[in-house]
Each structure stands twice: as structure tokens, then as C-alpha cells.
């Protein structure tokens, strides 16, 4: 066990098992105390490496993350405190690993409920190697104005209230972390504040004892008096009694052992800590208080009188000139986190993204205001989901059925079309699913599957301007523009695309109006008179029928329809549908274990 000061203004720690809030509180305390370097040198998160972004005052810093204790200790040889936020299941093993590192001098174990046999092994190893264990079941400890462990002393407001941003003259040790916060406040009210405070933890076997720290405080010149808060159960306080009797402590000690109310109960009472249970008269609070009083400690008659006893002891030292009054100063203001400031209404900040189609902030995601559970319970399909996420409204069933038919009909068109070919070549090159899919999708454009929007745009413009098919086709010809949605490399007037026929049949059966589709058919009749392959293709069929869906449903304004076409909604339908086929081709090639594709040279015209 160390015999003097554990921490200083240059102490750095390694933090095990990343927890954002306690680390940020440590860094905020550093800034409050005017430290030049952050007290957290590195973070250990088993299995992960990199950096974690946190704030040191107003500056954002990156703290290294290491996957093992050994790697962290090697990277930060000056960090001699190990703060262990592991669960009770793994806290002992990780603490022992830390104790075995030559650079680590102090290990703080936050977890409660660490197996007692494991704790005993940790204690034995630490004592044999002159190291300090604080905990288990501890909030940690603090050296005022220099260093603190994790959540010790709570919020910044509480730290300022307790004057912990600068050193005082009192050494304090307690079993309870919660009561430590209370006592820091009490001590600050009637003295110049604490110099160092330790909560040894409430388990039956603490890594270090009350007397260990009291004796250590006795060796620190800056500490002029010591305050001890014990509790019923166990016999730890008696080691302090023996130290007092043997003259090992020559500074005033003010002590109180909580739990005097236990005698009011007829049966044995287990208080909050595992060790807070009286196992006989000697372990009672009354017996411990009496023994401490007889050994020379200042012990008040009640907890309520503890503050007065501390004040009297401090005032006496002040009168004797043993304590020099501390110069007070105003600590720097800790910048408030943006989220906290927004919640408190102190600031307003612009958002970075606007979303109107979905919301994941509640108990379940909502699509255009419709909870996901409702979508499932009502048996809605993919078409309904598209209507919510794309069009922000629930379209009639015939509309969503049409969307689903379009997806099914456009999912694939064989391995020879350019998109599928690109995907197959990419998959055979050993690329992953996303790369293979994107390779095919990037082929979609004016010449392959990307003409739906243009077909809808031109058909709508011509129909709305009352152009005859002849006027429309000839005007496009004069502009040098092919009519989108007309023409096919394989299909002919006497060999129509079955997909087009299925779409037209569905629309004639279910749509209130098919005026745009009928206009497209009239255009097809005229173009077929010019060439037998200038048939209405699937792009033209979907484009014209989507116009009928949008206008005939009565759910969209003219402005909304124009916007839908301009943005590219209809091409989105082809992209969504064809992704299904492209993914299928990727899986097919990988399942067949096809080798790298090389185009045959005899299929290339080599010319000058």
C-alpha cells in the first residue's frame, strides 16, 4: 500500500470499458482545475481500436482507444491509474491484468458484487506489489484541484459548490460514494474544503481500508485534519482504532460510524452496502463510535453534530496557525453541451437534415405517420410502403397493386441486357454484392431503363397541348429527339411486349381514366406506320399509365404531378425493380462459382 499522495495535477488514467459521461466529467473537472493535459490518456475497449471524440474545455480532442490493457499501458507509460468500469463478471480479471502491468499503481473498481474470493486475490496481489486498489463498489476518489476518478463528486455544479476545483486542508475517507458527495459539501461549508477524498467501496472486502487511507493522509503535509465516515458491519474501523492507539496518526481525526438506528430493529438489518450488516455487538455503529472516541478521535453524539465537530476542529487548527487560509478564485466556466443547452431552452440551433417521410423517435418507426405495426397488422404490401415513403400518402389499393405489378414485371429481363451484363462481369471479378449491384445500376439511363420519366414528361406535354400523334412525333423528329417510350430492339408490331399488354389490361380494368395511355397507343399506331420495331415499350407503358394513376386518383395536384415527374420518381420505380434482378444475377454467378469474365476476341472488330 502506498504511504503518501496517490494523485497529482499531472496524473493520467486509463479508462476500461468506454463510458462517455464519466470520462467527459473527468475532462470537465480537468478544465475546471486548470490542468494542461487531460487526465484520461487512453480508453480500453476490448475488441476495438481507434479514437473517441470528447471535449477538453471548448476544444474537441481525440482520445486513443486500445483493444487490450497491455497495448494501452505500452502506449501510455505515464498513465498509472486504471479506472475499471467493467461489469462485476469481468472486473476481477481485468483488474488483475492491470495490476500486473508495471506502469499501473492504482486500480479503481467501480462494479458492485465482484466475487469475494476474486477480491481477496486482488488485495493480496496489490499489497504484495505495493499497489492500491480502490473498491469494488466504489465511486472512486478525488484530489481537489488535480484529479478525479469517473463520476466522483457528481456534477460540475456540485464540484463548484464543494470547492473541489482547488485543494483544501482536509483528508476524507468513507465507505459510501453517495455519502462522500454529501460530506464534500458539509466539509466545504465549515472548512477550506478537502485536499483528497476516497470512497473505499461498500463491499465486504474493500481493496483498501479506512485506516490505509488515514495513515496515508497523515503522511501528506498539505492535509491538516482527517474526516472519516464509517458504517456498521465489519471491523475495518478497528484497524483505525489500533492505528490511533499506536500513535501512527498525529493529525486530528473527526469520525462518525453510521447505522446507529440498527438497534431500533428487532431483527438484523441489511443496509445498502454488502458490508453494511452488523454481525454482533462489536460491529455495531455504537461500539465502533465508542472505540474511536476512546482511541482519541473526535466523535460527535450524532450524525447531525458531525458538521459542528468538523468546524470546531478546523477552527482550532486555524487559530493555532496550522492552517493558512486558502485564496479563493472563480473557476473557469465549463462550456455547456449543445444538447443540454437546447433542452434547457438556452440556445436554438438549426437542424442539418429535414425529413418528412419517416420518423424513428417514438416506440416504433413510422412511415408518413403510419406506425410500422399498423402496416403489418393491416396486411399492407410493398406498394403501400412505396406510396407512404415516396408519395407521403396512402394510395388506393389499385394504385399500390399497379406499383407492385411494375416492380414484378421490371425485376429482370435476362442476362444479356447491359445492366445485368455489367453486374455479372463484376460478380465474376470477385466483387461483393453492393459493388456488383451498383455496377448494373449505373448502366440505367436514357438508353436502358431510364426513359420512364422522359416518356411521361413528353406524353403529358403533348396530350395537354392537344397535339395529334402526327404533330407530336414530327416535332420530336425536327428537334432530333427520339420519342421516349417508343421502340424496342427485339419486339415488333406483330410481337408485342407481353409486359406492356399486362399493364394495359390492368389499367383498363381498374383505373378511373386511361387518357394518357390511350394517347400513347395512338402515338404507337403512328410510329408503327414508319417502322415495325417502333412499338410502345415497357418504359412508355409505365410512364403513360403513371400519369393516369396520378391524375385519375384525384390525390395529386397538377403541380405535384409535374414535380413527381421532374424529380425522377418513375425512374426510381425501375431502379427499385431492377435491383431485385441484379441482386439475383450476383447470387447466381457466385453460386455457380463462375470465373473471371474475359470477352472473346473474335467478338471484337479490330480496325484502324
Amino acid at each position: 500500500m502506498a504511504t503518501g499522495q496517490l494523485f497529482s495535477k499531472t496524473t493520467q488514467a486509463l479508462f476500461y470499458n468506454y463510458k462517455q459521461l464519466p470520462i467527459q466529467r473527468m475532462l470537465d473537472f480537468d478544465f475546471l482545475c486548470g490542468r494542461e493535459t487531460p487526465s484520461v490518456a487512453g480508453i480500453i475497449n476490448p475488441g476495438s481500436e481507434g479514437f473517441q471524440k470528447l471535449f477538453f474545455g471548448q476544444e474537441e480532442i481525440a482520445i486513443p482507444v486500445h483493444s487490450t490493457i497491455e497495448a494501452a499501458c505500452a502506449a501510455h507509460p505515464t498513465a498509472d491509474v486504471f479506472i475499471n468500469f467493467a461489469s462485476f463478471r469481468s472486473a476481477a480479471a481485468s483488474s488483475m491484468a492491470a495490476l500486473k502491468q508495471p506502469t499501473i499503481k492504482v486500480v479503481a473498481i467501480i462494479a458492485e458484487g465482484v466475487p469475494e474470493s476474486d477480491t481477496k486475490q486482488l488485495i493480496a496481489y496489490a499489497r504484495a506489489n505495493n499497489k492500491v486498489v480502490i473498491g469494488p463498489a466504489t465511486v472512486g476518489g478525488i484530489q481537489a484541484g488535480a484529479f478525479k476518478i469517473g463520476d466522483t463528486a457528481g456534477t460540475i455544479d456540485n464540484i463548484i459548490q464543494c470547492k473541489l476545483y482547488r485543494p483544501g486542508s482536509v483528508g476524507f475517507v468513507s465507505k459510501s460514494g453517495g455519502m462522500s458527495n454529501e460530506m464534500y459539501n458539509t466539509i466545504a461549508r465549515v472548512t477550506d474544503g478537502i485536499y483528497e477524498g476516497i470512497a473505499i467501496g461498500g463491499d465486504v472486502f474493500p481493496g483498501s481500508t479506512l485506516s490505509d487511507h488515514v495513515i496515508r493522509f497523515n503522511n501528506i503535509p498539505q492535509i491538516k485534519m482527517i474526516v472519516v465516515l464509517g458504517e456498521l458491519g465489519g471491523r475495518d474501523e478497528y484497524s483505525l482504532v489500533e492505528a490511533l492507539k499506536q500513535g501512527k496518526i498525529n493529525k486530528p481525526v473527526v469520525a462518525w460510524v453510521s447505522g446507529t438506528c440498527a438497534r431500533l430493529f428487532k431483527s438484523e438489518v441489511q443496509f445498502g452496502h454488502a458490508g453494511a450488516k452488523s454481525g454482533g455487538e462489536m460491529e455495531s455503529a455504537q461500539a465502533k463510535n465508542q472505540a474511536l472516541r476512546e482511541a482519541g478521535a473526535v466523535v460527535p453524539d450524532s450524525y447531525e453534530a458531525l458538521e459542528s465537530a468538523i468546524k470546531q476542529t478546523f477552527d482550532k487548527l486555524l487559530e493555532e496557525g496550522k492552517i493558512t487560509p486558502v485564496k479563493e478564485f472563480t473557476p473557469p466556466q465549463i462550456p455547456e453541451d449543445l444538447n443540454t443547452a437546447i433542452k434547457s431552452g438556452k440556445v436554438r440551433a438549426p437542424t442539418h437534415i429535414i425529413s418528412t417521410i419517416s420518423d424513428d423517435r417514438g416506440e416504433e418507426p413510422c412511415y408518413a405517420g403510419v406506425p410500422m405495426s399498423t402496416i403489418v397488422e393491416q396486411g399492407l404490401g410493398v406498394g403501400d410502403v412505396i406510396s407512404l415513403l415516396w408519395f407521403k400518402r396512402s394510395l388506393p389499393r389499385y394504385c399500390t397493386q399497379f406499383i407492385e405489378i411494375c416492380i414484378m414485371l421490371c425485376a429482370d429481363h435476362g442476362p444479356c441486357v447491359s445492366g445485368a451484363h455489367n453486374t455479372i462481369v463484376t460478380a465474376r471479378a470477385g466483387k461483393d454484392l453492393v459493388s456488383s449491384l451498383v455496377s448494373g445500376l449505373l448502366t440505367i439511363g436514357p438508353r436502358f431503363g431510364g426513359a420512364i420519366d422522359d416518356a411521361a414528361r413528353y406524353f403529358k406535354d403533348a396530350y395537354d397541348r392537344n397535339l395529334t400523334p402526327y404533330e407530336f412525333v414530327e416535332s420530336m423528329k425536327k428537334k432530333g429527339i427520339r420519342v421516349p417510350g417508343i421502340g424496342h430492339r427485339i419486339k415488333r408490331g406483330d410481337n408485342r411486349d407481353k409486359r406492356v399488354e399486362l399493364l394495359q389490361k390492368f389499367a383498363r380494368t381498374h383505373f378511373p381514366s386511361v387518357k394518357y395511355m390511350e394517347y400513347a397507343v395512338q402515338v404507337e399506331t403512328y410510329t408503327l406506320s414508319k417502322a415495325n420495331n417502333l412499338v410502345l415499350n415497357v418504359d412508355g407503358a409505365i410512364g403513360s399509365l403513371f400519369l393516369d394513376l396520378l391524375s385519375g386518383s384525384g390525390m395529386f395536384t397538377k403541380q405535384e404531378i409535374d414535380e413527381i415527374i421532374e424529380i425522377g420518381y418513375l425512374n426510381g420505380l425501375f431502379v427499385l425493380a431492377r435491383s431485385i434482378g441484379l441482386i439475383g444475377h450476383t447470387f447466381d454467378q457466385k453460386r455457380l462459382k463462375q470465373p473471371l469474365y474475359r470477352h472473346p476476341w473474335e467478338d471484337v472488330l479490330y480496325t484502324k
Side-chain angles (χ1 to χ4, degrees), residues 93 116 122 126 145 162 170 229 322 325 330 350 381 404 416 433 505 590 600:
E116 292 177 2
L122 292 172
C162 297
V170 181
L229 184 66
K322 294 180 179 179
T330 303
E404 290 171 1
C416 297
L433 171 62
K505 181 181 178 181
K590 290 185 178 295

Side-chain angles (χ1 to χ4, degrees), residues 3 43 68 133 200 273 289 311 391 424 444 491 596:
T3 56
I43 298 165
T68 66
V133 174
I200 65 170
H273 294 147
N289 280 325
K311 184 179 187 308
F391 302 103
I424 289 169
I444 296 174
K491 298 301 179 182
L596 178 68

Side-chain angles (χ1 to χ4, degrees), residues 89-376:
R89 289 178 290 273
S90 61
S94 49
S95 295
M96 182 61 81
L99 284 170
K100 290 181 178 180
Q101 300 303 309
T103 55
I104 299 298
K105 305 300 181 189
V106 179
V107 172
I109 307 171
I110 310 302
E112 186 176 355
V114 176
E116 292 177 2
S117 59
D118 292 341
T119 303
K120 289 178 180 178
Q121 290 179 23
L122 292 172
I123 294 170
Y125 187 89
R127 290 194 180 278
N129 291 274
N130 196 33
K131 299 193 177 188
V132 178
V133 174
I134 301 172
T138 181
V139 71
I142 185 170
Q143 183 172 320
F147 176 85
K148 88 180 186 89
I149 294 171
D151 291 316
T152 302
T155 65
I156 288 297
D157 288 342
N158 188 63
I159 287 170
I160 293 173
Q161 184 74 26
C162 297
K163 303 174 185 176
L164 296 171
Y165 52 85
R166 50 64 171 171
S169 304
V170 181
F172 171 76
V173 62
S174 166
K175 287 187 176 180
S176 168
M179 285 305 296
S180 293
N181 282 351
E182 178 66 27
M183 288 303 299
Y184 294 152
N185 199 288
T186 298
I187 292 169
R189 283 199 301 268
V190 295
T191 73
D192 61 0
I194 72 158
Y195 183 82
E196 185 184 320
I198 297 289
I200 65 170
D203 278 2
V204 177
F205 297 101
S208 50
T209 65
L210 296 173
S211 59
D212 286 337
H213 292 286
V214 171
I215 292 170
R216 191 170 57 77
F217 291 162
N218 195 67
N219 296 328
I220 300 174
Q222 295 91 332
I223 292 178
K224 306 301 181 183
M225 63 175 285
I226 301 165
V227 176
V228 180
L229 184 66
E231 64 185 23
L232 84 163
R235 304 200 174 190
D236 189 10
E237 288 80 1
Y238 288 106
S239 63
L240 177 56
V241 168
E242 290 305 310
L244 286 165
K245 286 181 176 179
Q246 293 169 13
K248 293 181 179 178
I249 302 160
N250 51 35
K251 294 178 181 179
V253 176
V254 181
W256 176 254
V257 179
S258 297
T260 54
C261 65
R263 285 186 176 175
L264 300 175
F265 298 94
K266 293 181 180 179
S267 59
E268 185 178 79
V269 177
Q270 170 72 62
F271 287 80
H273 294 147
K277 180 173 68 173
S278 179
E281 176 58 27
M282 276 194 73
E283 294 186 11
S284 69
Q286 285 86 346
K288 291 182 180 183
N289 280 325
Q290 183 60 34
L292 285 164
R293 188 180 292 114
E294 291 172 356
V298 177
V299 181
D301 295 329
S302 66
Y303 177 78
E304 288 75 15
L306 181 59
E307 181 175 334
S308 177
I310 295 170
K311 184 179 187 308
Q312 290 172 12
T313 303
F314 179 80
D315 288 346
K316 184 180 178 183
L317 291 170
L318 206 59
E319 289 172 11
E320 293 171 353
K322 294 180 179 179
I323 292 178
T324 304
V326 175
K327 265 190 173 184
E328 285 296 344
F329 66 92
T330 303
Q333 182 76 30
I334 299 291
E336 193 168 14
D337 287 341
L338 182 60
N339 289 339
T340 305
I342 290 173
K343 284 180 182 177
S344 63
K346 293 180 181 178
V347 299
R348 55 190 181 190
T351 55
H352 299 289
I353 294 175
I354 302 174
S355 177
T356 63
I357 64 169
S358 61
D359 192 335
D360 60 344
R361 293 172 297 177
E363 292 184 2
E364 59 177 320
C366 292
Y367 295 164
V370 180
M372 194 169 288
S373 57
T374 301
I375 294 171
V376 175

